[in-house]
Amino acid sequence: MPSDDAAGAAQQGAEGAAYRGHDLSIVIPAFNEAEGITTTLNNLRAHLPQAEVIVVDDGSSDATATVVEAMEGVRLIRHGFNRGYGAAIKTGMLAARRTHIAWFDADNEHRVEDLIQMKLLLDREGVAAVLGHRRQAGVTAVRVVGKAVIRAVARSLGLKVGRDLNCGLRVFRRLAILPYVSVLPDSYSASTTSTMILAERQYPVRFYDIDTNPRIGHSKVRIRHGFGTIAIILRTITLFAPLRIFFGVGLPVVLAGGVYSLLIAMLQREGLPAAGVLSMLAGLLLCCFGLLADQISQLRLLQLSQLRAEASSGPVSEDAV
């Protein structure tokens, strides 16, 4: 008798073979990816012939656009100049017409089999998104350390995120991501930001372990993008939960100033020290800034809720891109 694990694997394999992508839009940002995009698109069309495949050429200077134009069953959208990974993702999502949207890289790093299993997992468990988790930590020691720092910053701010915040393979329900298109940055931080948005809005999310193929072409990610990602994390937290930052810093400062002032007053009996008073005032000001930022945040989130209602009315036409 086959084991339960073997039976489950067989069932998933049968479901994956039957799924053809009828309700899926696949967005592929491409910048100078002429070397690998043919293999990527051939694999997608072979396994998901009914999926809507959208390639956004982000101002490439090579033959990327020419290669894509020659492919049947693929929509090509071109940026007049290089605007960034996130900008290409946003353009593709706004042009998507299906109820589910997937992000997929153009360099053949991701496997179509993983994408299919992630989509089936999303359907089975009814979650808002399934995010890829690369088993390999990184290509170089610098990137491994950089990713660890980014994870540490996110978790220090209370974000319950996975170990791979910026994997480019992910599948969303349309209504879970489109309302936040305006919040996503134009840079490589779009992946990290989308993970944080899902965590902050408490959407049900699942993570799926993936293996990667050897990259065709060269990575466009640089060390400076890591510093930009940390700034994006702080900005996103300030938008969705500013009290977490301002109160998280302000209250300890008030407490430290109060304890210091009390000890000095009791020991020296000369009143409250200036340093302690300044510390308490600084902490109170931070808390007040947090309250003000929270009111602004609520207004912004109300606008995003209205966008979510608009997104539920139907796909955005390509004319709006």
Side-chain angles (χ1 to χ4, degrees):
M1 292 291 292
S3 65
D4 291 341
D5 291 341
Q11 181 179 0
Q12 290 181 10
E15 291 176 350
Y19 181 68
R20 313 297 282 173
H22 63 279
D23 58 349
L24 183 65
S25 293
I26 304 172
V27 176
I28 305 175
F31 175 61
N32 291 339
E33 297 287 359
E35 295 180 55
I37 199 165
T38 298
T39 302
T40 299
L41 293 177
N42 283 336
N43 288 335
L44 286 170
R45 299 310 302 155
H47 291 85
L48 296 169
Q50 297 177 11
E52 178 185 43
V53 179
I54 302 172
V55 175
V56 181
D57 176 40
D58 191 31
S60 297
S61 57
D62 66 359
T64 297
T66 303
V67 171
V68 175
E69 284 179 329
M71 303 287 294
E72 293 185 4
V74 178
R75 296 176 61 192
L76 173 65
I77 301 175
R78 303 184 67 174
H79 285 171
F81 55 91
N82 181 244
R83 293 165 52 187
Y85 172 87
I89 284 287
K90 291 189 287 186
T91 295
M93 287 197 299
L94 289 174
R97 301 191 182 104
R98 306 291 175 81
T99 56
H100 299 80
I101 298 175
W103 298 5
F104 204 86
D105 285 352
D107 56 10
N108 194 47
E109 185 176 10
H110 297 150
R111 304 189 311 166
V112 182
E113 295 86 348
D114 288 330
L115 171 59
I116 293 173
Q117 292 304 320
M118 289 167 64
K119 171 61 171 64
L120 296 177
L121 176 62
L122 185 146
D123 290 338
R124 284 197 306 271
E125 301 202 8
V127 295
V130 176
L131 311 181
H133 258 190
R134 289 167 291 194
R135 289 189 173 93
Q136 298 88 349
V139 178
T140 64
V142 173
R143 293 187 67 178
V144 171
V145 173
K147 290 174 184 291
V149 170
I150 292 171
R151 287 196 302 270
V153 171
R155 289 170 181 169
S156 70
L157 296 171
L159 283 177
K160 296 180 180 179
V161 294
R163 66 177 183 273
D164 190 2
L165 278 73
N166 58 347
C167 177
L169 178 57
R170 44 193 61 201
V171 185
F172 306 89
R173 293 190 186 276
R174 180 186 187 85
L175 297 182
I177 189 63
L178 275 189
Y180 305 100
V181 166
S182 62
V183 179
L184 295 177
D186 289 344
S187 64
Y188 282 100
S189 303
S191 299
T192 302
T193 303
S194 66
T195 305
M196 294 171 54
I197 289 172
L198 293 169
E200 275 294 345
R201 305 308 289 164
Q202 298 183 354
Y203 282 114
V205 174
R206 295 291 180 270
F207 297 97
Y208 186 85
D209 288 336
I210 66 171
D211 293 310
T212 54
N213 299 318
R215 183 194 308 273
I216 299 178
H218 304 285
S219 173
K220 313 300 189 304
V221 180
R222 300 293 180 265
I223 293 178
R224 67 177 184 275
H225 295 133
F227 292 106
T229 298
I230 294 176
I232 289 293
I233 289 175
L234 296 175
R235 185 184 306 168
T236 304
I237 294 294
T238 303
L239 170 62
F240 288 97
L243 294 180
R244 185 174 297 175
I245 292 180
F246 288 99
F247 272 40
V249 176
L251 290 178
V253 170
V254 171
L255 181 60
V259 172
Y260 173 77
S261 299
L262 181 62
L263 290 175
I264 294 298
M266 292 175 62
L267 294 174
Q268 299 184 358
R269 299 184 181 279
E270 295 180 357
L272 298 178
V277 173
L278 287 175
S279 176
M280 288 187 288
L281 288 176
L284 288 173
L285 283 175
L286 284 172
C287 291
C288 290
F289 283 138
L291 292 172
L292 178 60
D294 185 64
Q295 295 301 309
I296 298 174
S297 171
Q298 294 305 311
L299 291 174
R300 180 65 172 134
L301 294 177
L302 178 61
Q303 293 177 340
L304 293 177
S305 297
Q306 294 172 347
L307 288 175
R308 188 176 192 278
E310 293 175 3
S312 65
S313 62
V316 180
S317 68
E318 190 170 350
D319 295 336
V321 178

